[in-house]
Amino acid sequence: MAAYVVMEPPGRREKVDATAFVRDGFTWLGFLVPPLWFVWHRLWIEAALAFVVMGLLSMLGQRLGLGLAGSLLSLLVSLYVGLEGQGLRIAALRRRGWHEWGVVEAGWLDEAEMRYALEAEALSDQAAPVPRMVPDAALARPAQPGIALGLTHIPGRT
C-alpha cells in the first residue's frame, strides 16, 4: 500500500473537488526526465533549476574530459528528483496556501480518494467544539501592579 498526502486548497468550501493527492515515494518519471516532470506539475523554478544544473554538470564533464563519468554527474540530479520530487510538490503547494489535511494509505489513487471522502465526511459529522468561556488566559487576569520579589511581598499592597 502507498501513502498519499492529502492537500486541501485555500478556501476549502468553494472548491470541494480540488483536493490534491500526492503519492509519497519514488517517482520514476521524475527520475527519467526531471525538467519535464517539474513542468508537468507546474514547478517552473524547479524545472529551470534542474535544466540549468544538468546542463552545467554535462558541460563540466565534457570540459574536464570525464566522458561517461560526466554524464553520470547529471544522473545525480535525476536521482534527487526521483527521491525528493513529491516532497518538492508538497512544499510548492504549501507556498501557494494549501494545507495538509493528513495522510491516507491506499493501493491506488481512486481508493485514496474514497478513503479521504469517507474520513472527511465522518469528521464533518462530529459536533463543533464548545467555545471557551475565557478566550485568552492573558485577558482573564488583570496585570499586577508590582514586582513580587521574595516571600513576604504581596503585590498591590504598600
Side-chain angles (χ1 to χ4, degrees):
M1 291 185 96
Y4 290 88
V5 178
V6 181
M7 301 293 291
E8 291 181 338
R12 170 80 171 101
R13 287 168 181 74
E14 293 91 26
K15 302 175 185 175
V16 176
D17 295 333
T19 304
F21 293 85
V22 180
R23 185 178 186 273
D24 191 25
F26 190 82
T27 173
W28 282 101
L29 283 175
F31 174 72
L32 295 174
V33 284
L36 294 178
W37 187 85
F38 281 135
V39 168
W40 178 263
H41 292 290
R42 295 182 178 186
L43 302 171
W44 311 114
I45 295 172
E46 291 87 345
L49 188 63
F51 185 75
V52 168
V53 169
M54 290 177 78
L56 286 175
L57 288 174
S58 293
M59 287 188 334
L60 180 70
Q62 291 290 332
R63 201 164 282 244
L64 294 177
L66 297 177
L68 181 62
S71 297
L72 292 177
L73 285 176
S74 63
L75 184 66
L76 292 175
V77 175
S78 296
L79 184 63
Y80 178 75
V81 173
L83 292 172
E84 293 296 325
Q86 302 292 13
L88 293 171
R89 273 183 69 195
I90 293 170
L93 288 172
R94 282 188 185 134
R95 284 191 307 267
R96 293 178 189 144
W98 292 54
H99 66 277
E100 183 176 334
W101 178 85
V103 177
V104 176
E105 288 189 21
W108 301 101
L109 179 60
D110 295 336
E111 185 181 346
E113 290 174 351
M114 193 178 337
R115 286 185 180 203
Y116 163 71
L118 291 173
E119 289 181 28
E121 181 181 329
L123 287 176
S124 67
D125 289 344
Q126 292 177 354
V130 178
R132 295 180 9 197
M133 294 296 277
V134 179
D136 189 6
L139 299 175
R141 255 178 42 191
Q144 297 190 2
I147 299 175
L149 297 174
L151 297 174
T152 59
H153 180 72
I154 298 172
R157 288 190 183 174
T158 55

